[in-house]
Amino acid sequence: MKEKLIALANKLGFAAKIKDSSMTSEDWQTFATEFKAEHGVDLLEAIKEAKKVPQLEKEQMEAFAALFNNEKEAVNDEPEKKAKTEPSGDDKTAKQTPADVNLAKEIANMKSALEEAQSKLKKLEQEPEDKGGKKVEIKKPEKVMIAGIGHSDKYLFGIPAPIFAMDKPWNKVAAKREGLKKRWEPDQVTAFKEEFNKYAASVANRIETLHERGLLGANMADRLAAIDYSDFEGTGWGEEYVVRRQDALISYIRSLPSVSSIFPVRYGVQNKMEMTNSFLTDFSQAYQSGHVFKGGYKLQPELAEVHDVMFKHQFENMKKLEKEYIGYLNREGSDPIKWSFIEWLMVETLKKLHNEQEARRVAGYRIEPSAGVPGHHMFGSTGIMHRLQKYVDDLKLNPFSDLALYTQSTVLDYVETFVEYVNNILPSLNGYMLYMNSKHIPWYLAAYREKYGTNLDFTGGQLEVKNYDLSGIKGVPNMGNSCLMLITLPGNIELYEDLPGEMEKVYFQRDLENLIAASWWKEGSGAYLIGKKYATKAEMEADKRKYQFIFLNDPVSSLAADATTADGSVNNRFKTIANSAATVLTDITNADEGVVYRITCGSLTNATTVAKSGKFANISAAWSPTAIGDFLEVYYDATADTFYEAARKVS
């Protein structure tokens, strides 16, 4: 009996409570329920049975008390000797230790609580039920708490973990719904900052742990129920609930739409990681004797590259921020420093960072910042669209130049033509996927229904290319109005990072009414299998794309002859044509910040040029192409109403 009681008390975490006599009726009910579940016998009956042997009862009492008390009562393992020295009558009562009295009192309380519960159950069993069943009024909680059990005197949310201890003033503010009676002391502000940084680091570490266990992703919310929290037993049961709150926060951020569900993330890229592509010639041949060898290979390195990205912001006047932005959520008084505000800032900040990163992963363009000048979020790293264009510029990919733009009415025929082009190159389309702008998927489905709706086997609009053995079509978000389209193997296009959770590891620093937040991470994009690198465009054309693993269209808008402006709302890629006279481009109208625009020379007949003047006064020099394919890339600064140079090519 002794061993069973001790083992169960340790398992349920009631050892300390038994020691200081703080067990509640509910605790003893839990203790009794667990005892019966484990041993198949009612706890009271077991105790009653044990009382039939006084020596055994005394031995159990002393052993139980000795385990949970610091007093050094002797526990004699020899029953016979124990019986000889055991007092009786009034002497026995007088010589009881405090531990004996406490334990006896707790068992009596437990017995009383259980008898009361049994009495209530019998009463409920005897009461008749209404036809529709008993109506139970459920009071809606005033504040929803993640895995918490309600504030207690010692802990916020009732979670017994140091991070939520009520001796920390910000937790008391959150629970009491009122600010401090006096101003915040410098040491309290410092402690608040340290606690925030510790929590942010803990969130980042949890993200890395979830990544290692394969639990991150868009469907993380569905996986939370299956997460095993038993590994937190050694740190105290409160830690489990801290982690549950973190998992809920992480799950919310990770449940936001992400291109990582389309293009996988490769971690561990710290700067540039080299990958090797192999291009092999034919090896097999008909048998003949002798040294008749055939076959060859070429190894070509590819680099997975990441850039350093950061988030730094100063929330000015937290008091004003709270009133203007979360006043409708505030249920905890007016003091700006409190735990729920910490979590709110983390959620809102991380949500914004997530959305910016998602846009950058697709259409970002790395531009080195000017010293002391904040840069646009789209210029933090290079996304997939511009990375693919870089492969084209490096003569590794040869796009289909006759496949430029499509419209709502031509998209289906355009896709089928594109797929047929690739079908003529590859031995099989099996396993390949087509990626296109998600904004144009409704166009495709509508055209599919219109063209194939009368077929006997028609089952509705499908994300497939009819009659081709292609794996399917994937819509890619954040592509703007681009008509870019590509075919490759799923998983070939990758997103790069160094460590999971670096962006979410937000560092906070309190400065009077202000709060400074910052984090640092690495990100990039690229492909594992691209194509053979050629020395000249002519060499690449001669090989007719047989060494490519990615196939592209060429979604460029052709400017009209003699045009002096381009419309930035139509496209971000333009190609000049033959002009009747010397022509200078003076503006890109409707330009947006964060977008890089490319002007490509499509003809040398009175070739369009760009002068270093007007809106282009800040480019490095005038641009005068000398060959078809030369280009100038610029980005717009709305404040200065001018364009800056991003890159150029002049042969």
Side-chain angles (χ1 to χ4, degrees), residues 49 215 249 296 396 487:
E49 194 69 25
L215 293 170
L249 185 153
K396 296 178 182 178
I487 293 176

Side-chain angles (χ1 to χ4, degrees), residues 4-15 31 34 37-38 68 233 237:
K4 292 178 181 178
L5 289 171
I6 292 172
L8 184 59
N10 284 325
K11 177 181 177 182
L12 297 177
F14 289 158
F31 194 100
E34 289 295 322
E38 283 196 11
F68 299 118
E233 288 180 359
W237 69 274

Side-chain angles (χ1 to χ4, degrees), residues 400 403 411-430 432-436 444 463-473 485-488 551-553:
F400 296 103
L403 291 177
V411 63
L412 180 61
D413 292 337
Y414 185 101
V415 167
E416 291 179 342
T417 300
F418 180 32
V419 173
E420 176 58 23
Y421 282 1
V422 179
N423 188 49
N424 287 331
I425 298 168
L426 294 174
S428 171
L429 286 170
N430 187 27
Y432 278 76
M433 183 75 70
L434 185 147
Y435 300 86
M436 63 182 292
Y444 184 83
L463 282 179
E464 64 178 13
V465 183
K466 196 100 172 151
N467 305 318
Y468 288 93
D469 191 22
L470 198 71
S471 291
I473 299 175
M485 199 175 289
L486 63 136
I487 293 176
T488 190
F551 302 91
L552 302 166
N553 62 345

Side-chain angles (χ1 to χ4, degrees), residues 405-415 447:
L405 307 181
Y406 56 79
T407 64
Q408 185 172 358
S409 60
T410 64
V411 63
L412 180 61
D413 292 337
Y414 185 101
V415 167

Side-chain angles (χ1 to χ4, degrees), residues 185-239:
E185 299 297 333
D187 60 335
Q188 292 175 326
V189 174
T190 300
F192 174 80
K193 178 186 69 175
E194 291 175 352
E195 196 76 9
F196 205 142
N197 293 338
K198 189 190 304 179
Y199 185 74
S202 177
V203 170
N205 293 335
R206 181 59 181 168
I207 290 174
E208 187 165 1
T209 299
L210 292 171
H211 164 70
E212 291 171 353
R213 298 180 181 180
L215 293 170
L216 285 183
N219 60 341
M220 180 185 167
D222 299 331
R223 302 178 185 178
L224 283 181
I227 293 179
D228 181 11
Y229 293 96
S230 61
D231 56 342
F232 294 101
E233 288 180 359
T235 60
W237 69 274
E239 184 66 19

Side-chain angles (χ1 to χ4, degrees), residues 596-608:
V596 172
Y597 297 90
R598 172 179 283 215
I599 309 296
T600 301
C601 176
S603 174
L604 292 175
T605 303
N606 293 315
T608 300

